[in-house]
Amino acid sequence: MPKDSDTKYMSLAISLAKRAEGMTSPNPLVGAVLVKEGRIIGKGYHKKAGLPHAEIEAIFDSENKGNVVNGSTLYVTLEPCCHGDKRTPRCVDSIIKKGISNVVVGTLDPNPKVSGNGIELLKQRGVNVRVGVVEEACKIVNEAFFKYIRSGIPFVTLKLACTLDGKIATMTGDAKWIGSESQRNFAHRLRKKVDAILVGIETVLHDDPQLNVRLGKRATDQPIPIVLDSRLRIPIESRLLKIHKSPLIITTHKADVEKKNNLEDMGSRVLIFDSDKNGKIDLPSLLKKLGELEITSILIEGGSRVAASALSQRVVDKIVLFYTPKIIGAEGVSMVGDLNILKVKEALAIRGLKVKVFGEELMIEGYI
C-alpha cells in the first residue's frame, strides 16, 4: 500500500498532468513532482507534443529555484521514457544524470518502446523504483492514449443531453436549450480534451453548429470537426466550414463529385467510405483511418441516429449523459435510435458509473 505522502504527491502530479488536456496528443498527459527531505522542490507537466516531458520540466523548475536535485524522489504519473529524439531526449538519462535517488511511478507506459524498459534501465543504474501508486487514476487520465497506443484506434466518447424521459428534442426537432449554461460549459470542457468532434449531417442541418471550444482555447488548437454525410448534403455556408481550417467530411460513393470538389476547394478534407444496406457509414473502418491520421480521441455529439449507429457498430468506449429536469413525452426524439435489441439480456451494459450534479441537472458517465 502506498504511504499517505505517496498518494498526496502522486495526486498532485495527476492534477498537473490534467493542465495540458487537449494539448499533448498523440503524446500522453504526464505530471511530475520532485520531493526532497519532505519538501516539494520542483513540479512540471508535459505541455505539448515536441516540448520537454514532465520529468524534465520538474527538474528545470527545481534548478531554477536553486534546489539541488541530487538525492531527491521523483513522482511521475507515467513510466519515464527510454526512447527519444532531438526534441525530446530520453527522460531516464536525465534522471540518472541528475542523481535522483528514487522514482515513484503511477503506471507503466503501454508503448512497446517503453513498457517496463524505462523502469529496468533506472534499476540497472541504482535508482530505487516503485510502480503502481494511485495507478487507476493515472490510467484514467490517459485512457485515450492507452487505447490508441495499443490498438491504433481512437478512444470514442458519446455525449448526449436529454430530458428526464430521455428526449433530445421535440417532435419538431427543437433542441435549444435542453440543458443549462452550466451544462453546456462542461460540455465545452469535454470538447477541450479531445482531438476531434463528430456529428451527423442532421445535426449540421438543424443546428448549424460551430463545433469548437469556446473556453479560451486558441484557434490553432481546436479539435477537428468530423461530419458524417453520406450524400454530401452539408450546406456550403455552414459555420463549421468557415470557422475551421480543415474539417473532415465523411461521405460515401453516393456523394456528388462536384460538391466534393467544391468542399475540398474550401479547405475541407472529404473521405469516401463504403456504406451498408441502410446507407450507414462503416464506422470501424472510419476509426481505423482516423487513427492513421493520429487522431487519438473523438467526442460524438450527434443525434439519435448517429448515437445508435455508433453503439450498434460497437465503436463507443465511454458515454456521458446529461439529464435536465424536463419532460417532453412520447412525441419527442429519443436520445438513441433503434438498436434492434429484442431482449433485455441483449442490452448494452454500462460499467464504472459516476454521477455529477449541476444544480438540478445530472451527468452520468460510464464505460461500454
Side-chain angles (χ1 to χ4, degrees):
M1 292 291 290
K3 297 178 291 186
D4 289 343
S5 59
D6 287 345
T7 301
K8 180 180 73 172
Y9 295 134
M10 191 61 74
S11 297
L12 174 57
I14 292 171
S15 67
L16 288 167
K18 289 180 178 180
R19 291 184 183 181
E21 285 180 332
M23 300 296 293
T24 63
S25 181
N27 290 356
L29 295 163
V30 186
V33 177
L34 274 169
V35 178
K36 190 172 184 179
E37 297 176 352
R39 183 175 66 90
I40 295 174
I41 62 172
K43 296 181 290 184
Y45 63 98
H46 182 43
K47 296 182 174 69
K48 194 171 185 177
L51 295 181
H53 290 178
E55 300 92 322
I56 309 303
E57 290 279 10
I59 292 171
F60 287 163
D61 181 52
S62 180
E63 293 182 336
N64 286 339
K65 294 174 180 176
N67 295 314
V68 178
V69 175
N70 184 65
S72 63
T73 296
L74 173 69
Y75 290 83
V76 61
T77 56
L78 190 68
E79 178 182 6
C81 67
C82 55
H83 67 97
D85 52 39
K86 292 180 179 179
R87 295 189 304 174
T88 52
R90 305 190 327 171
C91 290
V92 290
D93 293 336
S94 295
I95 291 170
I96 294 166
K97 181 180 178 180
K98 293 295 180 178
I100 295 173
S101 301
N102 307 285
V103 175
V104 182
V105 177
T107 185
L108 293 178
D109 190 332
N111 189 334
K113 295 179 180 179
V114 187
S115 194
N117 294 324
I119 301 298
E120 188 59 32
L121 279 171
L122 291 173
K123 288 181 176 179
Q124 289 175 4
R125 297 301 295 271
V127 180
N128 296 315
V129 183
R130 285 187 289 121
V131 182
V133 174
V134 199
E135 184 170 19
E136 189 60 28
C138 289
K139 287 182 176 179
I140 290 174
V141 166
N142 278 312
E143 58 189 6
F145 172 76
F146 272 56
K147 179 190 177 183
Y148 178 74
I149 206 69
R150 287 169 172 158
S151 67
I153 304 297
F155 186 90
V156 178
T157 301
L158 172 64
K159 192 247 355 175
L160 294 167
C162 61
T163 60
L164 289 181
D165 57 340
K167 307 300 180 182
I168 61 173
T170 67
M171 63 182 296
T172 65
D174 179 40
K176 292 187 177 180
W177 291 101
I178 287 289
S180 68
E181 184 176 355
S182 295
Q183 181 202 107
R184 294 194 296 276
N185 285 339
F186 192 86
H188 276 279
R189 289 170 58 186
L190 292 177
R191 287 182 175 186
K192 186 178 180 181
K193 295 179 181 181
V194 299
D195 292 345
I197 302 170
L198 185 150
V199 299
I201 184 58
E202 296 298 336
T203 296
V204 176
L205 294 175
H206 285 132
D207 301 336
D208 192 19
Q210 298 181 64
L211 298 186
N212 60 354
V213 178
R214 299 186 287 278
L215 289 177
K217 197 173 175 86
R218 295 181 301 173
T220 54
D221 296 323
Q222 289 290 337
I224 300 168
I226 302 174
V227 180
L228 302 181
D229 186 3
S230 60
R231 294 181 181 271
L232 282 189
R233 292 187 291 151
I234 186 169
I236 294 297
E237 64 274 13
S238 297
R239 289 194 295 176
L240 71 89
L241 296 180
K242 298 176 181 178
I243 292 172
H244 298 276
K245 184 177 180 180
S246 299
L248 272 171
I249 313 298
I250 312 303
T251 191
T252 67
H253 297 284
K254 299 176 181 178
D256 180 76
V257 176
E258 185 177 352
K259 180 71 171 289
K260 174 180 178 294
N261 293 336
N262 289 339
L263 288 168
E264 290 176 334
D265 288 341
M266 293 177 63
S268 297
R269 289 177 291 172
V270 182
L271 303 181
I272 298 176
F273 283 83
D274 292 331
S275 59
D276 61 18
K277 62 181 180 181
N278 298 315
K280 293 182 180 179
I281 292 169
D282 186 319
L283 294 182
S285 296
L286 171 59
L287 290 182
K288 182 179 179 181
K289 177 61 178 179
L290 295 178
E292 292 171 358
L293 296 175
E294 291 195 329
I295 292 175
T296 67
S297 57
I298 298 171
L299 180 66
I300 297 180
E301 291 193 352
S304 60
R305 293 181 185 177
V306 171
S309 182
L311 289 169
S312 63
Q313 294 188 57
R314 300 297 195 269
V315 300
V316 177
D317 298 293
K318 186 176 184 178
I319 60 166
V320 179
L321 306 179
F322 294 94
Y323 285 91
T324 190
K326 300 173 183 176
I327 293 177
I328 288 179
E331 296 299 325
V333 180
S334 295
M335 73 166 99
V336 179
D338 187 15
L339 295 178
N340 196 33
I341 291 175
L342 304 179
K343 297 180 180 180
V344 173
K345 67 180 182 180
E346 298 172 351
L348 299 179
I350 312 300
R351 62 178 176 81
L353 285 181
K354 294 182 180 179
V355 178
K356 185 178 179 65
V357 179
F358 297 89
E360 295 182 336
E361 296 173 309
L362 295 176
M363 181 191 80
I364 297 177
E365 66 176 24
Y367 298 88
I368 301 293

